[in-house]
Amino acid sequence: MNWSAARWDSLRDYVGRDYYPSADKGIGFKVALTVRARVSTRRGQLPPNPLDLVVPAADRIIRPAAAGVSALRCNYLQHTIASELAELTSLSTKRVRISDVYARVTLDDDAAEQARDAQRMRHDLELDELARQQARARAQFIRDECLADPATARIYTLLEKSSRLGELAGVLDRGDLVAEVAQWHEQARPVLITQAIIDFFGRLTPGQSYEIVDRFIAMVRGFGATKLADQLQSANTRSENGDLRQRTDPRQDRSHVRPANQQQQADSIEQ
């Protein structure tokens, strides 16, 4: 049988469409794969289809790439696979000359709405996880820094607030924070008690302060701490008008020393 000579058809586009799952469960991309090629035909024979050559190789490129991309990122997926698809022109044969291979990635309206809902859910989950991380960071900062001693806690409340450090604003005010430290940090109690006494004395008159300290000294003596009571007594003095006055060191107070001539007269009288 004599066959007529082969004839090359004009350059044309061969389009194949398929569905590829995305990273969002139940949502996939619509991919239109285009192969631009010329084929050789003979009378009595079916012309070759360039898609038969390209689709299997293109599938190995598109499917794993689509599985790792969110459904709303059609353009990103299309750009990602473009260079690899273009290299499939090397699949040309004696009867198929492939000049270009490219894909168009789309998403229908219903799938796009589902993808947006999925994205909002992921965003909410990420915000929840971020809130949990911030809560853990605040708890760790309070435990490691603020509970170390009341002074650190008070200084921290005076600093500029920053969520990166563990924001405490709205959780405790300065007084409550120090009280909270006392509850959890036993060693801080003497400091807190001292601070409370100092604040209280600042609202009293000198006479009232003297009376309170004098009663406290009597209690200290009652517990047998005579030395401590004497130290407190030496500091707790008041003048005739009721004002507190620090007792003067006898070595520095010269008012009790008589002049030499008066001392001699006193000695002669005694003799």
Side-chain angles (χ1 to χ4, degrees):
M1 179 180 292
N2 293 326
W3 296 94
S4 60
R7 181 176 61 84
W8 286 96
D9 290 344
S10 300
L11 188 67
R12 57 168 289 192
D13 291 342
Y14 298 82
V15 180
R17 292 177 172 83
D18 205 346
Y19 174 89
Y20 290 91
S22 70
D24 299 326
K25 186 177 181 179
I27 306 174
F29 299 102
K30 294 172 65 177
V31 178
L33 181 67
T34 300
V35 179
R36 182 165 294 175
R38 296 177 66 187
V39 299
S40 173
T41 61
R42 292 178 182 270
R43 184 176 297 179
Q45 294 183 355
L46 292 175
N49 188 344
L51 292 174
D52 294 339
L53 295 173
V54 174
V55 168
D59 185 81
R60 290 191 293 269
I61 296 172
I62 301 172
R63 191 169 299 278
V69 177
S70 171
L72 292 177
R73 306 186 67 186
C74 295
N75 292 336
Y76 173 80
L77 176 60
Q78 184 170 307
H79 176 75
T80 300
I81 62 179
S83 60
E84 292 186 72
L85 292 178
E87 294 177 359
L88 297 182
T89 56
S90 62
L91 297 177
S92 297
T93 65
K94 292 181 179 181
R95 297 190 62 190
V96 178
R97 296 175 181 175
I98 302 173
S99 62
D100 195 10
V101 179
Y102 59 91
R104 182 170 182 265
V105 182
T106 58
L107 200 66
D108 59 37
D109 294 340
D110 291 340
E113 183 62 29
Q114 293 179 21
R116 283 189 286 270
D117 291 341
Q119 186 181 56
R120 284 191 291 268
M121 292 178 62
R122 283 197 304 270
H123 182 65
D124 290 341
L125 291 175
E126 290 171 356
L127 290 178
D128 291 343
E129 179 59 25
L130 178 61
R132 286 190 289 269
Q133 292 177 0
Q134 291 178 341
R136 286 193 293 268
R138 287 194 295 270
Q140 182 177 358
F141 184 83
I142 294 173
R143 181 179 62 251
D144 296 345
E145 300 294 338
C146 293
L147 295 186
D149 61 79
T152 300
R154 285 188 175 274
I155 291 174
Y156 173 74
T157 59
L158 299 176
L159 296 176
E160 181 179 0
K161 301 298 183 295
S162 171
S163 59
R164 295 179 182 270
L165 295 178
E167 182 67 62
L168 291 181
V171 179
L172 297 171
D173 61 27
R174 296 174 185 177
D176 291 341
L177 177 60
V178 177
E180 193 73 11
V181 172
Q183 180 179 354
W184 293 98
H185 190 58
E186 196 67 27
Q187 296 178 355
R189 290 185 181 276
V191 179
L192 292 174
I193 294 173
T194 302
Q195 181 63 53
I197 293 175
I198 292 174
D199 293 341
F200 176 66
F201 272 42
R203 298 191 296 269
L204 300 178
T205 64
Q208 292 172 332
S209 300
Y210 174 85
E211 296 295 338
I212 291 176
V213 175
D214 197 51
R215 295 179 183 180
F216 177 71
I217 292 172
M219 293 175 59
V220 172
R221 290 189 188 278
F223 281 98
T226 305
K227 184 176 181 181
L228 175 59
D230 291 340
Q231 293 175 347
L232 292 174
Q233 188 67 58
S234 65
N236 189 46
T237 60
R238 63 178 176 179
S239 60
E240 297 297 331
N241 59 7
D243 294 337
L244 291 178
R245 181 179 62 188
Q246 180 69 34
R247 178 169 293 180
T248 306
D249 189 339
R251 291 174 297 182
Q252 298 177 356
D253 186 4
R254 308 300 297 177
S255 60
H256 67 286
V257 179
R258 298 182 181 182
N261 58 345
Q262 294 183 4
Q263 184 65 41
Q264 291 175 358
Q265 293 176 2
D267 293 342
S268 61
I269 293 175
E270 291 177 358
Q271 293 176 355

